[in-house]
Every structure is written in C-alpha cells, then in structure tokens.
Amino acid sequence: MKIYKMIDRLLIFIVIISIGLFIAYPIYSVVKLSFFEKGQFTLKYYYALFSMDSLLLIKNSLWVTMLSSSFTTILAFCMALFVFISKDKIKFYMKSILMLTMISPPFVSALALIMLFGRRGLITHGILGLSVNPYGWQGIVLLQVIGTLSFASIMLIGAFENVDVRQIMASRDLGANPLSTLFKIVVPAVWPGILSLFFILFTMNLADFGTPIIIGGSYRVLATEAYLQVLTSSTLGKAAAMSMLMVPPAIVAFYFYRKNISSSKGMGEGSKLAISDSYSYELPSYIRYVLYLVVGGFFFIMALKYGNIFLSTVSNTATGKLQFTAKYLKDLPRSQMQSFWRSIVYSMVAGVLASFLGVVLSYYTHRREIKGMKLVEFIASLPYIIPGTFFGLGYVAAFSKSPFLLRGTAWIIIFNFAFRQISVSNKAANAQFNMIDKKIEQASEDLGASKIQTLFGIIFPMMKSTFLTSFVTTFTASMTAVGAIVFLISPGKNVASVEMFQSIENGRYGIGAVQACMIILVTVAINIIAMYLLNRDRKQLVEEEE
C-alpha cells in the first residue's frame, strides 16, 4: 500500500507543479516584464501608453470593441429569445446549428467578406459591378459580430434556460401582457447573463489582433500593436504593458460570470417542475417578426460564409467572375500539409493532457478536499479568463531562457493548448462529481482498494463521458487557436491555424480557403465521432438499467 500512497502524493505534486509552472509562472512573467527592465523597476512602458499615438490606439480599440460587443450582445439576446419561445424540436436544431458554426477556424469571416464583397468580390464586382472597400473599422466591427455571435447566443441560451417559468405564468395569470412580462420578468432574470456576456465579448474583441490586421487596413488598435511589438521589437516590455490593459475587462467579465452562475443556482429545478408541455410563451407579432429577421439573417450570413469558403477551394474569383479550378489544391505547399497533421497530433495530445489534469484536479479539490487545492483550481481557471495573446506572451517571457527553455519545441505549443483549456475539463468534472455517489468510493476503499486504485479503477471509468467531452472541446479549441500561440511558432513547428492566418494576411485567399476547409472537416469529424460514442454509451446505460 505504500507504493500507492507514493503514487497518490506524486500525482498531487504533479498537478500542483504543472499548474504553477505552466499557468502561474507565465502570468507572473508578463506582469514582471511590464514593470521591470534589466532587473530595475520602471513604469516607462506604462508612461509610453499615454503618448498621443498610444492614446489613439486605445481610443480606436475601445470604439470598435464597444460597438462589436454591444451589437453582438443585442443580436445574441434576440437569438436566445427566439430559442426560448420556440418548440423543443426547433430548439434542438437551433442549438445544433449554433454549435456547428462555432467549430470554425479564425478569420474565416474575414476571408469570406474579402472574396464576396471586396474590390474584386464575387457579389460586389462580379454581380453588382461595384468596387467596394471593405477595409476599416466598419469591417472590424462587422467581422467581430459575425465571428462571436454563435458563441454569444449559446451563452445566453444557457441563461434563458434558468428562467423560472412559474414567474412568467404567474405574471400572465395576473393580467400582465407578454411585452410587460418580457421586460419585467424575463429580462431581469437573464440580466446577469447579459452583463457577463458583454464583458466576455469585450475581452475577446479587445484582444483580437488578427481581424484588424486582415480587414482593418490603416485602422490600428491596441491588440494589433502589441502583436507587432512582439514580432518586431527586441524588448517585450511595451507589449506586456499593452497586454496588461486587456486584463481588467477580463476580471470584470469573470466577476459577472460568477455572479450569473450563483444567481442561477436552484432556479433550474423549480422551472422544470413548473413547465407544462402545453405551455408556450407568446410574444407580440411585431417582436416575433424582428426575431425571425435576426435568425433568418444569421442563417443567410452563415450560408454565405461557409458556402463561399468551400466554393473558394475549387474556384477563382479574382477577376470578379466564378471560374472553377483545382489550382489552390495543387498549390498547397507540402510544408503546410505537414503543419496540418502536426496540428492534429498537438491537439490530440493537448486534449488528453487537459482532460486528465482537469479530472484529477477536480478529484483532489472537491472529492478529497485537500487543503490549498481550491487556490490551485482558481489559478487553473486564469488562462480561460485572460486574453489569449496575454497567455501566449507569458509563454514567450517564461520559456525563452533557462532554466525552463521550451521555445522552439513542440511542447511549448502543446502545453499552451492544454493549460489554456484545463479549466473547461475541471468545471465539467466538478459537475460530474456532484452526480456520483460518494458511497461507491467508500465501498471500494472498504474492500481494500487504495485511494489511487479507486481513482483509476472506479472514478475514471465513471467519468468517461466527461473525459471525452473535455477532450473534444480542447481538441477543437486547439485546432482553431491563433492568438495564444502565434508568438510561439518556430521553424518546423508551425500549425494549420497559424498557417491559415499567414496565408490570408499575405493575400493568398485561395490557399487560405483550402486550409480553412481542412480544419473545419477534421474538427467536425472529431465532434461527430464523439457525439456517436456518447450516444452509444447512453443507450447502453439505459439498456442496462432496464
């Protein structure tokens, strides 16, 4: 039994050290980098942010971020409200479509906008005979709205699902009209979720450097400047200070997110008990028409977006006319195919690592309740709170020199993938542990099994669905990641998402479309396989119970 105790302690040590080394240390390194130069404390990087040029960057960033976050929140509210008042079958299809449209590489919207509505766009030039300039702050706002709308809608749908339907029914029974019920019952109930979503979107859009680079033209923003500082400057201090400015909105977003989670606890059970299959919440016809317009517009834009991407792999629209060709498939460099396969391997390894550590962290924190592990769990959640570029810059600062020299290796990318997503696995495991009876573990230990034997022999088999879901989430996020790893790429270690970003940035739109399709197809395939395995396990469980 001593050997099992040693393994148990070693596993605790590995969890604590790995989270400290690959999460806390990179974050500390960015903070240190922004305040110190050659070992001396300085505020010069922050003073530099108050120059006229930097203030213009901040102003530009706040302008486009406020607009895109506000528009996305409003549209997501309409989408979520439509799902809320719809029948179960429509709800299922809407959620499925929103999930599928989230499985998308970054900058796909930018690629579609340029190829459809650019100066030589298929629609603007080929059909309408116009030469339209899509570049500028308007393009940034439009693409950020399109790129985040599916994610935002899914988040708000979750908030709507926690609305206590008894309150709606009581309001209607007391004579309130549907519009009054909407603004006095429904909106206040989901308001914490709306605020949470707004600040999360604000953080995401503020840290978005790729969209402004591709579609912004001469319009410069803070995230883009921080990205260029890393690539062109020998000192990273200014880039670190710029990244630090993106953290406060992220902290505010996390606060509202936690507040929303706390306020929704206990609401779901009551609402489920009160829901009647025959009950439907009707809204005035003019509001329904607005919702239909928003949802219809969303489907139209998604059809244009993905249809154009797939069409662009086998056609040339550079002349403004549609000409079918296999040129882009032939021109895809062999090195980029290697990057694609490398992405799959890196994402799979990261998925396994993040899922394993997330489950183990949850076990030691909430099942064993080991002292100090809640602090470790909080640290593990930080990469999911802070912007990706901040976390990527942290890896540059932390692992570019001894004693932890990892830059230039595959592991720096894999660890960044895994520890960026470990919080997702941890939260999923926490929810699953609430459903597992502790008596099962106690019975195992009463029969002579050690805690580590119980963990691997009892708990892990019962957490199979959670492990698989976490793996797929991490795999998908890793296949489409750019912001957190763009600084970490080295010769021979490039990945498909960054290759795609570089292709679009350099104007090779056809090859970028081929790369986007490859990423979409493999991520969708992995998700479909996972859904099949999960459904098969559920069916087997139901059959065993019967």
Side-chain angles (χ1 to χ4, degrees), residues 8 104 276 291 335 337 346 397 474 498-499 516:
D8 186 44
S104 171
S276 170
L291 299 184
S335 62
M337 281 301 300
Y346 289 1
T474 303
V498 177
E499 289 272 22

Side-chain angles (χ1 to χ4, degrees), residues 112-122 124-125 130-135:
L113 178 67
I114 292 169
M115 300 186 80
L116 289 173
F117 301 101
R119 294 186 184 278
R120 308 294 291 181
L122 181 62
T124 51
H125 182 77
L130 303 174
S131 180
V132 178
N133 180 15
Y135 300 95

